[in-house]
């Protein structure tokens, strides 16, 4: 063990780990050809040659664990792990921390369900605390790192944090390795004593200079100080990473903590909605980056019983300069009291349901400078006439300088929100309706340019009537006139803004909206 501890300083340098702030508790690279100090339970364990000497669990018919050390509290357990084979569904290979025994511990595993799983054992089957989507390929080496500090648990894959949770079941214990009905090789095990959660041990790959702009501040409701968040800053203060695969993107947008995610090229993501966590800026590089095949979900799971903003509501998210195509559901969905969201300079088309839907109590959102086209159900604000319990007094959203390009309806369709501020947008050939304001919503529609729009604004479109005020708009080429009545709160009581001359809006929006313009 003395030799292992001395050699660990060399190993830490090789792995890129900070040696100044972490004391080495245990290290084993198995180059001595043995596994002295490891206590095994289940499986078939041996030291084998796998590039270098490694500790292999070769059986797939057992719940196999190997544990070393004891009594360590704030610890980080890291190892290189290569899954080999899985026997059955939802199997994993993992590193263990705060192990009380071979059946009580925390674990960070690679699952054949296509995920990273953070969980714990308490004498029975594994219990999941958090998961993140990931590509797990048999025969590929991954670096897993599980940090336990106080009640905080954090999991890293290849030096990028992907999951986190809090749990107070175990305050100290040993480290370990596991193959839950799975075989794997393990190497370069390193356990360090951490003085608090650490940053990922390597510097993220920076984007090419000048091609991924994470600067900028919103106008409108995303700039307001409310609900404990002052404005929308996204990943400001966090690291910047570049992603060009679905696994990298899904992992990055779902991890905890501030992060700037630069998307390179068009990425085909799995069908469905992919969760975006708080404090994220997601920006496309250039004019041809984005996602196809799925969409972004900004918000907690739907729960009708929650009727006020929860403490863990998703917040402080920026999505800019991205192309969205062929979503199997919504392109962007904001739900469950998510707040301080800025959706800006995106190009959205050819989805299945909504392009940008905002619902279930979400608020303090700005939708600006987007180009929407080749789609029917464009933007929904408030999903149902009967959802007043979550929506009344919320759904405060600003729509400005968007190009509603031949999108028939929901530009947007509004329920309950007030004030909903729709200004300086360009509407062209929206064959059903432009702005539909209903279910007692209060909409201020001002300074927009309507071209060939028969019903530009209506508060009697469908369902219960809303209230709307239309002023200083331009109507050309056989456009109709607003169908509006009632009074509406003035958004100027929440934020300041400058209204462009509506006669200049068409030229400004067609030149400045969409991708490649920031």
């Amino acid at each position: 063990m003395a030799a292992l501890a001395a050699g660990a300083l060399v190993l830490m340098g090789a792995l890129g780990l900070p040696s100044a702030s972490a004391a080495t508790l245990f290290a084993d690279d198995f180059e001595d050809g043995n596994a002295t100090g490891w206590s095994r339970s289940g499986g078939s364990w041996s030291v084998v040659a796998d590039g270098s000497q490694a500790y292999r669990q070769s059986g797939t018919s057992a719940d196999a664990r190997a544990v070393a050390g004891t009594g360590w509290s704030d610890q980080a357990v890291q190892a290189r792990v290569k899954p080999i084979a899985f026997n059955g569904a939802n199997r994993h290979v993992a590193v263990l921390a705060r192990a009380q025994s071979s059946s009580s511990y925390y674990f960070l595993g690679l699952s054949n369900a296509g995920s990273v799983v953070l969980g714990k054992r308490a004498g029975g089957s594994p219990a999941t605390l958090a998961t993140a989507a990931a590509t797990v390929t048999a025969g590929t080496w991954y670096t897993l790192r599980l940090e336990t500090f106080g009640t905080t648990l954090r999991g890293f894959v290849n030096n990028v944090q992907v999951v986190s949770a809090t749990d107070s079941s175990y305050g100290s214990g040993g480290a370990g390795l596991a193959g839950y009905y799975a075989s794997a090789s393990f190497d370069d095990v390193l356990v360090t004593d951490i003085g608090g959660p650490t940053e990922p041990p390597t510097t993220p790959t920076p984007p090419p200079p000048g091609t991924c702009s994470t600067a900028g501040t919103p106008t409108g409701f995303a700039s307001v100080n409310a609900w404990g968040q002052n404005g929308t800053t996204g990943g400001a203060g966090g690291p910047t990473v570049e992603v060009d695969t679905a696994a990298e993107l899904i992992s990055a947008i779902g991890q905890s903590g501030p992060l700037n995610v630069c998307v390179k090229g068009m990425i085909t993501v799995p069908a469905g909605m992919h969760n975006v966590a708080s404090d994220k800026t997601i920006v496309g590089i250039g004019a041809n980056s984005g996602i196809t095949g799925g969409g972004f979900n900004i918000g907690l799971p739907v729960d009708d019983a929650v009727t006020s903003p929860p403490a863990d509501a998703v917040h402080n998210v920026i999505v800019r300069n991205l192309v969205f195509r062929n979503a199997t559901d919504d392109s962007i969905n904001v739900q469950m009291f998510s707040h301080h969201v800025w959706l800006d300079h995106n190009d959205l088309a050819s989805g299945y349901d909504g392009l940008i839907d905002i619902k279930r109590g979400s608020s303090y959102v700005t939708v600006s400078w987007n180009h929407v086209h080749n789609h029917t159900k464009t933007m929904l604000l408030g999903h149902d006439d009967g959802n007043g319990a979550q929506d009344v007094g919320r759904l405060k959203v600003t729509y400005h300088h968007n190009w509603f390009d031949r999108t028939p309806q929901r530009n947007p369709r509004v329920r309950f929100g007030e004030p909903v501020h729709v200004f300086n947008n360009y509407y062209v050939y929206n064959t059903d309706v432009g702005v539909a304001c209903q279910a007692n919503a209060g909409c201020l529609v001002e300074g927009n340019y309507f071209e060939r729009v028969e019903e530009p604004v209506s508060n009697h479109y469908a369902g219960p009537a809303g209230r709307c005020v239309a002023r200083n708009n331009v109507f050309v080429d056989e456009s109709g006139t607003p169908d509006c009545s009632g009074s509406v709160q003035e958004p100027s009581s929440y934020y300041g803004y400058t209204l462009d001359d509506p006669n200049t809006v068409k030229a400004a929006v067609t030149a400045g909206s969409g991708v490649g313009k920031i």
Side-chain angles (χ1 to χ4, degrees):
M1 287 300 298
L4 289 173
L9 295 176
V10 177
L11 179 59
M12 290 172 70
L15 295 175
L17 293 172
S19 58
S21 60
T24 300
L25 301 174
F26 178 82
D28 201 343
D29 61 7
F30 308 103
E31 291 302 316
D32 57 6
N34 65 59
T36 302
W38 291 90
S39 174
R40 294 163 290 280
S41 174
S44 179
W45 296 87
S46 60
V47 177
V48 301
D50 194 346
S52 60
Q53 295 295 103
Y55 202 21
R56 175 170 294 175
Q57 199 294 105
S58 56
T60 60
S61 59
D63 182 3
R65 287 89 69 198
V67 177
T70 184
W72 302 321
S73 55
D74 298 334
Q75 61 178 268
V77 180
Q78 178 170 296
R80 290 197 308 123
V81 181
K82 183 172 80 171
I84 297 172
F86 300 93
N87 181 7
N90 296 311
R91 308 309 198 192
H92 63 253
V93 297
V95 296
L96 317 179
R98 288 185 179 171
Q100 312 292 295
S101 65
S102 61
S103 59
S104 299
Y105 49 77
Y106 295 117
F107 69 91
L108 177 68
L110 300 169
S111 170
N112 63 342
S115 63
V116 178
V117 57
L118 174 61
K120 67 178 179 179
R121 294 288 295 269
S125 298
T128 298
L129 299 174
T131 62
T135 300
V136 178
T137 304
T140 299
W141 284 100
Y142 301 86
T143 299
L144 297 185
R145 178 178 173 86
L146 175 55
E147 294 184 351
T148 57
F149 175 76
T151 60
T152 298
L153 313 175
R154 303 204 308 173
F156 297 79
V157 178
N158 295 336
N159 300 322
V160 175
Q161 183 183 326
V162 293
V163 286
S164 65
T166 58
D167 190 87
S168 59
S169 299
Y170 307 126
S172 63
L177 311 168
Y180 183 62
Y181 298 96
S183 59
S185 290
F186 302 89
D187 200 1
D188 296 332
V189 179
L190 179 64
V191 185
T192 55
D193 180 13
I194 57 176
T198 62
E199 292 304 315
T202 59
T203 302
T205 304
T211 59
C212 180
S213 174
T214 58
T217 55
T219 296
F221 275 113
S223 69
V224 172
N225 186 352
W227 291 10
Q229 175 71 34
N230 189 2
T232 304
T233 58
T240 298
V241 296
E242 181 180 293
V243 299
D244 59 8
T245 69
E248 290 175 341
L249 172 63
I250 294 168
S251 173
I253 65 176
Q255 74 178 61
S256 61
L259 184 68
N260 300 289
V261 182
C262 295
V263 179
K264 182 178 181 180
M266 286 298 296
I267 299 174
T268 300
V269 299
M273 305 299 294
H274 303 285
N275 292 330
V276 179
S278 298
D279 305 312
K280 297 292 174 293
T281 295
I282 312 169
V283 180
I285 296 175
N288 298 290
S289 295
I291 66 171
T292 181
F296 287 162
N297 177 64
I298 304 171
L300 300 172
V302 168
D303 187 344
D304 290 333
V306 178
T307 57
S308 61
D312 60 345
V314 177
H315 61 281
N316 196 29
V317 173
I318 298 173
V319 180
R320 303 183 79 194
N321 201 48
L322 289 175
V323 176
F324 291 84
R325 292 290 186 273
N326 304 313
T328 54
D329 194 344
D330 296 331
S331 295
I332 302 176
N333 176 56
V334 183
Q335 69 178 19
M336 287 306 295
F337 303 93
S338 293
H339 60 98
H340 292 87
V341 177
W342 184 24
L343 310 175
D344 177 73
H345 277 98
N346 301 294
D347 185 298
L348 306 102
S350 305
Y352 175 75
D353 197 0
L355 292 181
I356 296 176
D357 284 0
I358 303 167
K359 58 194 182 186
R360 293 185 177 273
S362 297
S363 211
Y364 301 101
V365 180
T366 293
V367 181
S368 57
W369 294 100
N370 299 285
H371 183 197
V372 291
H373 56 98
N374 295 99
H375 193 83
T376 298
K377 301 176 182 179
T378 315
M379 298 184 190
L380 194 64
L381 180 58
H383 79 288
D384 187 85
D385 290 346
N387 200 49
Q390 290 182 323
D391 291 343
V392 170
R394 303 176 182 107
L395 300 181
K396 299 183 187 301
V397 180
T398 303
Y399 300 86
H400 73 86
H401 293 92
N402 300 287
W403 182 1
F404 295 98
D405 186 1
R406 296 168 174 81
T407 48
Q409 59 172 285
R410 303 186 182 183
N411 300 296
R413 180 178 178 179
V414 180
R415 297 178 175 96
F416 295 112
E418 184 179 8
V420 177
H421 192 194
V422 183
F423 77 91
N424 284 157
N425 301 280
Y426 173 45
Y427 291 83
V428 57
Y429 198 52
N430 314 111
T431 53
D432 191 353
V433 68
V435 182
C437 195
Q438 59 191 90
N440 201 35
C443 306
L444 174 59
V445 182
E446 63 174 338
N448 302 282
Y449 192 102
F450 294 93
E451 180 178 350
R452 242 188 323 158
V453 182
E454 182 177 352
E455 193 171 15
V457 187
S458 175
N459 64 335
H460 299 95
Y461 172 71
R467 293 164 288 113
C468 61
V469 171
R471 66 191 184 202
N472 199 30
N473 298 288
V474 170
F475 307 97
V476 301
D477 197 5
E478 300 181 348
S479 289
T481 57
D483 171 25
C484 272
S485 59
S487 61
V488 179
Q489 294 178 22
E490 287 288 337
S492 58
S493 64
Y494 293 88
Y495 57 83
Y497 66 99
T498 301
L499 194 67
D500 296 341
D501 181 345
N503 294 289
T504 68
V505 164
K506 176 180 178 178
V509 170
T510 54
S513 64
V515 292
K517 310 293 177 62
I518 62 172

